């Protein structure tokens, strides 16, 4: 789960981490009121979307020469104008895809006199079972270029969760950032605080870019992206308040209500599968047959009629879907129960695209009989390869 920059900064401030003062704003008036609370004379108006690259981003509705999603404003009037230009418009950045994201919230923050920009992020590194701290002296808006062309300028420091953050980790961070004296001390303290926040908040990712050295010798978090590990949601009931559903895919929100693992993809074949591994294999085999999946969807172990119906509705709500492949392995959940669910659901949603169903496992014959006798144009398949071939052929034929 992702949150906005201003929310992440509010959380970091609770750990005594230095961030410039700022306020969120949902309207031009709120943006102006926010700026009036700041000392000035430099303000920064920042689009709040769940994507980076805002500074270099472009607004779809504005002329190409218009400024991007992070704007330095030198007066309250500039803040008013920038807020008016940004709110409600669509910001396209390298991370949003071509469709861009509508800007519904702004963050109005203190302008900082920057001496140098650094990079510092943390992720859970599954390969080493550690929290990886990734740091670079080359922070700022071109970090992707740095990673691509000069990866030696990026250092990774692993922190073993069994020992936690040790003073030597802090020294390694300061050394990698080539800091000395008071700034090195500040970097050590900051790295420790960030690690504590990361673990405490169950982050999946925390990126500070840029981390800045100010002209008066402080280290400040100027931009941050934070995401939480959804598996830890039960420990953090306050996550819910931070969720901005306007940033999420409506079908994914609907799916989460039914506890369905759904992710929208770019293809035209809707998939309904039980088990994440089987879902991955199903997607692979669709690709192998020359087509693309429209989604990943794991209905889970207890694929009840209610869940199967919800899953059908979600798949069909995607206008790109031209055919559906159901691939269910009946284990504890028997194939006949699944087949009944599919029949009820298919009737209820008024299915208008070809549907191929592959069932395997407990009571498979009873399941197949139920589908065959349902009166619905369900195309049965014997195995995964057969199922993929059939749905790809059906969709091609219909096109
Ligand atoms: P993004 O990464 O989405 O482009 P950032 O918040 O990193 O957005 O802003 C882009 C650049 O704008 C930063 O690298 C920094 O140079 C400048 N910037 C951002 N916030 C401030 C600020 N409060 N004061 C001065 N400059 C800023
Ligand atoms: Mg940034």
């Amino acid at each position: 789960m992702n949150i906005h920059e201003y929310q992440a900064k509010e959380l970091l401030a609770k750990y005594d981490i230095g961030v410039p003062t700022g306020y969120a704003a949902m309207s031009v008036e709120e943006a102006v009121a926010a700026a009036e609370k700041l000392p000035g004379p430099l303000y920064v108006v920042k689009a709040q979307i769940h994507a980076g690259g805002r500074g270099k981003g472009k607004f779809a509705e504005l002329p190409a020469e218009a400024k991007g999603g992070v704007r330095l404003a030198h007066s309250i009037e500039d803040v008013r104008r920038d807020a008016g230009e940004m709110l409600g418009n669509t910001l396209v950045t390298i991370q949003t895809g071509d469709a861009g994201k509508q800007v519904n919230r702004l963050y109005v923050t203190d302008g900082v006199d920057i001496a140098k920009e650094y990079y510092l992020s943390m992720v859970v590194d599954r390969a080493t079972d550690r929290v990886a701290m990734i740091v670079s002296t080359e922070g700022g808006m071109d970090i992707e270029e740095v990673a691509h062309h000069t990866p030696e300028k990026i250092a990774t420091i692993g922190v073993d969760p069994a020992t936690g953050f040790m003073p030597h980790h802090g020294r390694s961070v300061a050394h990698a950032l080539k800091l000395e004296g008071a700034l090195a001390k500040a970097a050590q303290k900051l790295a420790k605080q960030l690690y504590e926040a990361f673990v405490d908040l169950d982050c999946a990712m925390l990126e500070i870019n840029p981390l800045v050295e100010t002209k008066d010798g402080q280290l400040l978090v100027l931009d941050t992206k934070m995401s939480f590990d959804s598996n830890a949601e039960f420990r953090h009931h306050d996550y819910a308040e931070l969720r901005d559903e306007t940033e999420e895919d409506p079908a994914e929100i609907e799916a989460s209500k039914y506890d369905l693992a759904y992710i929208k993809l770019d293809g035209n074949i809707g998939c309904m599968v039980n088990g994440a591994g089987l879902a991955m294999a199903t997607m692979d085999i669709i690709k192998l047959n020359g087509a693309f999946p429209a989604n990943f969807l794991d209905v889970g172990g207890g694929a009840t009629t209610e869940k199967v119906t919800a899953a059908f509705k979600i798949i069909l709500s995607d206008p790109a879907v031209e055919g559906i492949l159901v691939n269910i392995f009946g284990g504890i959940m028997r194939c006949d129960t699944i087949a009944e669910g599919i029949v009820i659901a298919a009737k209820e949603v008024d299915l208008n695209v070809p549907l191929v169903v592959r069932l395997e496992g407990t009571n498979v014959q009873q399941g197949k009989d139920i589908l065959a006798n349902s009166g619905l144009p369900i195309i049965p398949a014997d195995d995964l390869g057969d199922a993929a071939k059939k749905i790809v052929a059906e969709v091609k034929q219909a096109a």
Side-chain angles (χ1 to χ4, degrees):
M1 174 188 154
N2 297 317
I3 60 171
H4 288 294
E5 173 195 3
Y6 77 92
Q7 297 168 321
K9 283 185 173 167
E10 283 168 12
L11 288 171
L12 293 181
K14 289 187 187 160
Y15 292 84
D16 214 19
I17 292 165
V19 295
T21 312
Y23 305 95
M26 308 281 276
S27 66
V28 175
E29 288 319 310
E30 280 178 23
V32 168
E36 280 167 350
K37 284 191 261 180
L38 295 169
L42 181 63
Y43 312 91
V44 186
V45 185
K46 308 181 80 174
Q48 298 297 288
I49 54 170
H50 286 181
R54 297 162 301 168
K56 289 191 169 175
K58 291 277 167 216
F59 281 96
E61 297 86 353
L62 301 181
E65 63 276 12
K67 288 191 279 176
V70 175
R71 299 182 176 196
L72 302 184
H74 296 273
S75 68
I76 301 272
E77 276 323 297
D78 282 357
V79 170
R80 183 188 299 281
R81 193 205 52 224
D82 284 329
E85 267 190 33
M86 290 159 97
L87 279 169
N89 280 338
T90 315
L91 183 58
V92 183
T93 82
I94 48 165
Q95 294 185 9
T96 60
D98 293 342
K101 287 206 159 190
Q102 193 182 46
V103 177
N104 302 317
R105 301 182 192 195
L106 298 173
Y107 188 50
V108 182
T109 175
D110 228 354
V112 172
D113 238 346
I114 303 171
K116 176 150 178 58
E117 301 196 335
Y118 301 92
Y119 180 91
L120 193 167
S121 69
M122 283 181 228
V123 287
V124 177
D125 181 357
R126 288 171 204 282
T128 57
D129 293 337
R130 289 174 184 215
V131 173
M133 290 193 141
I134 302 157
V135 293
S136 176
T137 49
E138 309 303 303
M141 293 195 277
D142 293 319
I143 191 68
E144 284 86 358
E145 296 288 303
V146 176
H148 194 68
H149 298 293
T150 46
E152 69 279 3
K153 292 192 171 161
I154 297 177
T156 303
I157 298 148
V159 182
D160 188 336
T163 59
F165 191 92
M166 311 281 272
H168 72 85
H169 294 122
R171 290 194 292 274
S172 297
V173 167
H175 179 74
L177 294 178
K178 298 194 165 63
L179 295 172
E180 284 168 4
L183 276 171
K185 285 265 177 302
Q188 291 171 32
K189 184 175 167 203
L190 178 72
K192 182 171 196 281
Q193 289 169 316
L194 287 170
Y195 180 83
E196 281 164 5
F198 185 92
V199 172
D200 206 34
L201 294 165
D202 282 306
C203 291
M205 192 270 309
L206 172 59
E207 182 183 60
I208 316 289
N209 186 34
L211 168 70
V212 297
E213 177 186 329
T214 64
K215 291 218 170 112
D216 58 3
Q218 291 182 66
L219 279 186
L220 282 181
V221 169
L222 220 62
D223 181 23
T224 181
K225 271 174 91 179
M226 188 185 277
S227 72
F228 301 127
D229 179 348
S230 320
N231 295 305
E233 257 166 41
F234 72 99
R235 282 207 280 250
H236 302 274
H237 298 294
D238 44 341
Y239 278 4
E241 279 166 41
L242 299 173
R243 193 161 172 185
D244 178 359
E245 292 198 343
T246 65
E247 289 283 337
E248 296 173 25
D249 186 293
E252 289 178 16
I253 296 170
E254 185 65 15
S256 70
K257 289 185 194 151
Y258 292 91
D259 206 19
L260 299 164
Y262 171 89
I263 293 160
K264 162 114 182 73
L265 301 168
D266 295 334
N268 58 356
I269 298 185
C271 306
M272 174 160 36
V273 189
N274 65 338
L278 193 59
M280 299 293 277
T282 306
M283 288 159 49
D284 281 348
I285 206 149
I286 288 172
K287 277 189 132 178
L288 214 59
N289 282 277
F292 287 91
N295 63 277
F296 167 96
L297 196 158
D298 172 12
V299 289
T304 57
T305 305
E306 194 199 9
K307 269 193 167 185
V308 172
T309 309
F312 264 123
K313 284 186 181 161
I314 289 163
I315 292 174
L316 287 169
S317 71
D318 177 358
V321 168
E322 291 168 20
I324 300 178
L325 172 54
V326 175
N327 183 19
I328 301 278
F329 183 81
I332 296 168
M333 179 61 71
R334 300 176 344 239
C335 287
D336 49 336
T337 314
I338 298 282
E340 276 165 12
I342 293 170
V343 170
I344 294 170
K347 284 183 178 158
E348 198 180 318
V349 298
D350 185 13
L351 196 70
N352 55 2
V353 294
L355 169 64
V356 172
V357 179
R358 179 253 179 167
L359 291 175
E360 191 52 86
T362 315
N363 288 0
V364 62
Q365 197 49 53
Q366 289 95 314
K368 285 184 173 174
D369 292 344
I370 290 168
L371 295 179
N373 300 328
S374 67
L376 290 165
I378 296 173
I379 303 156
D382 292 325
D383 58 40
L384 191 40
D386 182 42
K389 277 197 194 84
K390 280 180 173 157
I391 191 64
V392 172
E394 284 292 326
V395 167
K396 286 218 170 108
Q397 204 188 350

